[in-house]
Amino acid sequence: MSALEKQSILIVDDEANNRTVLMEMFKNHYKVILAKSGEMALELAQKHAPDLILLDVLMAGMSGYETLEQLKAKDVTREIPVVFITALDGSVDEEKGLLLGAVDYITKPFHPAIVRARVKNHLRWVRQKQLLERFAMFDPLTELPNRRRLDRLLAADYEPGKKISIAMIDIDFFKKINDVHGHSFGDRVLQLVSDVFRETIAASGGQIARYGGEEFVAWLPESSREMAEQICERIRATVQSLEIDHLTGVIRVTVSIGGATSMIDENGKLPSNIVDRADQAVYEAKSRGRNCVVWDVI
Ligand code: GH3
Ligand code: MG
Ligand code: MG
């Protein structure tokens, strides 16, 4: 999400009139998605991940309350704030809606200006939360996903039986680079090699995260061991060929890479030791003289 992108609202109401009224109120400022039932809302919420949902309570088929419960039951939709807009104006109904996790409860007939103001406030919070999440998941120096983001990727669910490869990349003699050329030069090296990683991995459909100091973890879904090794070899060779300018002349750096390939298990999980295996392999790469790729030595 870029900071300037239009935010999106999913409007759920089984009456066409109500949908039109609400759409007219918001279409100039937000991207509006319409659903005429709870079932349709669940589908569209999963597909589009809207920033806010305006949800009717009394609907043919699934009620708004049930729809909210279903939204809360799924990882991808759980965090989307839901505002009820309903003709049910009893305090018991309102309490029920709020206890189910709605962020707001607006009764019909409503004042358009007030609904607009409330929606604007909710969406401001959404934007701030998304920005914070972004900061929390990315490393500021290299702008790569960080360890926290990687841990999420490692814990996520995948299609059982598919192959996955993990590679650990470690810059060689990086402490010496810092000691000899200075810490800020070291930072620049981290940025330049990160650019190489990002470009090479993105072209292969994978991801790369900064794991810690000068260690990175590449994530190569659906790649055989041979393919993953080839990608890593390309990374190794490209880093070696970088000519990094420094006051004292051109500096070159190298990386050692260790990888492991596994099958996603029947529960859709990665083997828990896959990162350790990649770590062992990089250790072996170091002991073989560095600037090389070693695959799964266990
Ligand atoms: P090896 O070839 O065995 O990997 O040796 P190495 O010197 O690369 O490894 P070591 O783990 O001894 O040193 C890593 C260094 O990375 C030490 C630390 O100061 C430096 N480092 C970690 N994070 C940063 C950073 O953000 N910026 C800079 N400039 N240096 C960093
Ligand atoms: Mg190192
Ligand atoms: Mg290291």
Side-chain angles (χ1 to χ4, degrees), residues 150 165-169 201 207-209 216-220 232 235:
L150 178 76
S165 296
I166 295 283
M168 180 91 74
I169 309 175
I201 304 279
Q207 296 202 47
I208 175 117
F216 299 81
V217 168
W219 170 269
L220 304 159
C232 289
I235 289 174

Side-chain angles (χ1 to χ4, degrees), residues 57-123:
V57 175
L58 295 176
M59 292 187 288
M62 194 186 279
S63 76
Y65 294 138
E66 279 174 76
T67 308
L68 177 56
E69 280 176 325
Q70 300 269 336
L71 288 166
K72 294 287 175 203
K74 286 233 161 83
D75 279 348
V76 276
T77 51
R78 180 171 303 140
E79 300 290 326
I80 306 171
V82 171
V83 173
F84 278 120
I85 298 203
T86 172
L88 284 184
D89 59 359
S91 57
V92 173
D93 303 310
E94 179 165 353
E95 185 189 3
K96 180 172 176 186
L98 295 174
L99 286 177
L100 283 173
V103 295
D104 207 350
Y105 192 98
I106 298 171
T107 52
K108 295 183 219 175
F110 54 73
H111 295 287
I114 289 179
V115 174
R116 258 198 298 266
R118 287 193 177 196
V119 162
K120 192 174 165 191
N121 282 342
H122 290 304
L123 284 171

